[in-house]
Amino acid sequence: MEKGREGEDVEKRSVRYANGEYDPKTVPPEWWSWLSMARREPPTEELMAEIERMRESTKAKAEALKVDELRRRAERDSSHPQDNEQGMEQGLDSLLQDLGHKGNIGPGTKAEDEDQDLAWKPEAWKP
């Protein structure tokens, strides 16, 4: 026991590293909380086993989510073949035709006739 700031008895807690090599990454968080006096009792073997099961379960769930996300992206990419440059240009041309066809903007539309500055011009757009 050591003396605290106000003279009270304080238990000194320390770690003995295997092989004498100092590596704080090898100490589990549950033990760090005990070492730093954040918890009164050291973690039990049962608690450590339960925490390890929870960690493994979380890792398995994260891996399953990753696989699901990769599968979802693969399905999305296979259903959108316009990911190449030519497909993107065709998609833009199609969009412009749709907009012009609906009379919103484009050559011969009301917006262009009323005010030339308000009309959108594809050749002026630069990403």
Side-chain angles (χ1 to χ4, degrees), residues 72-122:
R72 186 187 65 78
R73 287 183 182 188
E75 288 172 2
R76 181 198 65 202
D77 292 347
S78 67
S79 66
H80 293 89
Q82 296 180 346
D83 287 340
N84 60 37
E85 192 173 316
Q86 183 181 8
M88 292 177 88
E89 288 177 13
Q90 291 170 350
L92 182 58
D93 290 342
S94 173
L95 173 66
L96 293 174
Q97 287 174 357
D98 288 348
L99 291 174
H101 177 66
K102 292 179 183 175
N104 293 337
I105 54 177
T109 63
K110 217 174 194 183
E112 187 179 74
D113 295 338
E114 289 175 4
D115 187 356
Q116 188 71 11
D117 293 333
L118 294 177
W120 182 74
K121 299 173 190 159

Side-chain angles (χ1 to χ4, degrees), residues 31-94:
W31 279 102
W32 271 118
S33 64
W34 178 76
L35 287 166
S36 64
M37 308 286 187
R39 63 183 303 149
R40 292 179 186 219
E41 300 296 322
T44 63
E45 288 183 32
E46 294 83 19
L47 175 65
M48 295 300 291
E50 177 63 25
I51 289 171
E52 187 59 32
R53 282 191 296 274
M54 289 172 29
R55 284 185 182 126
E56 292 301 318
S57 173
T58 301
K59 286 178 187 177
K61 289 176 184 177
E63 186 62 30
L65 287 172
K66 183 178 178 180
V67 168
D68 287 347
E69 177 65 13
L70 291 173
R71 185 178 301 123
R72 186 187 65 78
R73 287 183 182 188
E75 288 172 2
R76 181 198 65 202
D77 292 347
S78 67
S79 66
H80 293 89
Q82 296 180 346
D83 287 340
N84 60 37
E85 192 173 316
Q86 183 181 8
M88 292 177 88
E89 288 177 13
Q90 291 170 350
L92 182 58
D93 290 342
S94 173

